[in-house]
Amino acid sequence: MHHLTTLNLPTPPAREDERRGLLLQVAAFLAGGGKIERVPHTERAPIVPTSWNTSISRNKRARREYQRQRLELAKRIAELALVETDLGPIRRTPYEIYQALKAQGIRLNTVIVEQIAAQHGIELRDDGRCRA
């Protein structure tokens, strides 16, 4: 029994005291005109679908929204890809576009920049820089 007291669990005599106190409260409730209603069953709330992957969307228009976002990114990449100078137009590298998008608060990496550019026919300069 020593282990019960070290875990701060109620001892058998303390549980008996609590039971007696509960019985006295129930008796006082019934004596005061209270009524106890017994329910034959209990209902459970419907199970909420859960997933470890919280990025899964239940939105019916998720694919179209994704395509719209990719198209907007492609437009921004196309705008940033070509820089007009006095000597003529210069194409930017994927890393330079990545840095410009990062400055605008858009978090992509150079691989995604290259993929979007390739999907939409945007020409970028390739000078063998490292990827971010």
Side-chain angles (χ1 to χ4, degrees):
M1 288 290 195
H2 182 265
H3 66 283
L4 292 177
T5 56
T6 57
L7 294 175
N8 293 328
L9 297 174
T11 60
R15 287 191 299 237
E16 286 300 320
D17 291 341
E18 289 176 9
R19 283 189 189 112
R20 278 190 215 102
L22 181 60
L23 286 174
L24 289 173
Q25 289 176 354
V26 169
F29 175 73
L30 293 173
K35 184 177 175 183
I36 296 176
E37 184 179 331
R38 297 195 185 269
V39 180
H41 70 281
T42 58
E43 294 183 16
R44 290 180 169 245
I47 296 173
V48 177
T50 59
S51 174
W52 290 105
N53 186 355
T54 57
S55 66
I56 294 175
S57 173
R58 304 281 185 235
N59 184 358
K60 293 180 181 179
R61 295 183 186 87
R63 180 179 54 87
R64 293 184 192 273
E65 179 67 21
Y66 172 77
Q67 289 174 341
R68 187 187 60 75
Q69 289 174 353
R70 291 289 264 212
L71 190 59
E72 288 177 8
L73 283 172
K75 288 177 184 175
R76 282 195 175 185
I77 290 171
E79 291 170 1
L80 294 170
L82 197 60
V83 179
E84 291 291 335
T85 64
D86 295 338
L87 301 174
I90 297 177
R91 299 220 172 261
R92 286 187 173 171
T93 63
Y95 185 74
E96 291 169 338
I97 293 174
Y98 153 77
Q99 288 179 322
L101 290 172
K102 184 178 174 185
Q104 295 175 7
I106 299 172
R107 302 290 300 184
L108 296 177
N109 58 32
T110 56
V111 175
I112 295 175
V113 170
E114 289 173 358
Q115 289 173 350
I116 293 173
Q119 288 169 351
H120 295 276
I122 303 168
E123 188 179 339
L124 302 177
R125 188 177 83 226
D126 183 25
D127 63 351
R129 286 194 179 187
C130 66
R131 295 174 185 246

